[in-house]
Amino acid sequence: MWELLVQPMEFPFMQHALAAAVISSVVCAMLSCWLVLMGWSLMGEAVAHSILPGIVLAHIFGVPMALGAFVFGMLAVLLIGGISGGSTLKHDTSIGVVFTSLFALGLVLVSRTPSETHLTHILFGNVLGISQQDLLQTAGLGLATVALLLTLRHSFVLLAFDKVHAHTIGLSTGALSVLLLALLALTTVTSLQTLGILLVVAMLVVPGATALLLCRRFGPMLAVAASSAAASAVIGVYASYWLDISTGGSIVLAQSGQFALAYLFAPVKGMVPRLRRRRQRPTSEHGEPARPIHKLLDVKDPA
């Protein structure tokens, strides 16, 4: 067992891969808590797919890939907001139009641009090929994102749970929403080389959904999502080494497995405990579940 754990870490590329995978997964997981609570999961998918043309244009003009990806991520957010606000189209329709159009533009640019970067690396990530410079960039962007999320944690939580109250007490809900979307774009850039455009969407949704099934308070939810994502990164990297399979895919599958366990066995919200409680619930003479007396009388619970 010790050899199974130590042998992969003898190679520098595996050390870089493990560090980058853990950092990217934890950052995505923390942001996913807000995305899940606010119903912005589809927005995460939109931003992740919309950065493809920015990556290609950054390569053409010789600027950092992260800059091009971030610019097009923010462009997607602005276009979605502009179309939703300036027409009768629903928000999800605007998201679908913008991200599919930008993603198609990216595919066209890739097909016409000679590049040493393969499309599969952009779409699915290439964490085993990450350099020390890429690792430092990932760590820097991840640290900045986490610092902002934790610094403005209470404001973001209030925005997620009660936007009207947040506005009433003087918070700029519009600015907070834009900042959260900017952090979404930055997180996508951070995780691009580790997970790729397609798989980063999963890590922006699944950890938060897993933690939501297990927790009732937001603080523990953040901790559970981050630890769950870190464990998935470690499992995924080791599995890719020993089984010779996709690293990004292994990470996402490990996270999906944790979600499945939480969905089935979470103490309060899991399917199995809910079915067990339903069977144990006392029934009335007519075979219906017995209702508490305060509900039968339509009055407030004395407790």
Side-chain angles (χ1 to χ4, degrees), residues 67-132:
L67 177 61
F70 181 76
V71 168
F72 266 77
M74 291 305 301
L75 175 62
V77 170
L78 295 175
L79 286 175
I80 290 169
I83 294 175
S84 299
S87 68
T88 58
L89 294 175
K90 293 184 178 180
H91 193 61
D92 59 341
T93 304
S94 303
I95 291 175
V97 170
V98 170
F99 96 75
T100 52
S101 300
L102 289 177
F103 189 63
L105 173 62
L107 293 177
V108 170
L109 290 174
V110 167
S111 67
R112 297 294 299 171
T113 305
S115 172
E116 297 178 0
T117 303
H118 299 293
L119 179 60
T120 53
H121 290 171
I122 297 175
L123 295 179
F124 302 105
N126 184 29
V127 65
L128 297 181
I130 195 169
S131 64
Q132 187 170 6

Side-chain angles (χ1 to χ4, degrees), residues 134-160:
D134 294 329
L135 177 60
L136 292 175
Q137 175 182 291
T138 299
L141 293 176
L143 182 61
T145 303
V146 171
L148 277 172
L149 284 174
L150 294 180
T151 301
L152 299 174
R153 168 188 164 187
H154 296 294
S155 298
F156 285 143
V157 169
L158 191 56
L159 178 70

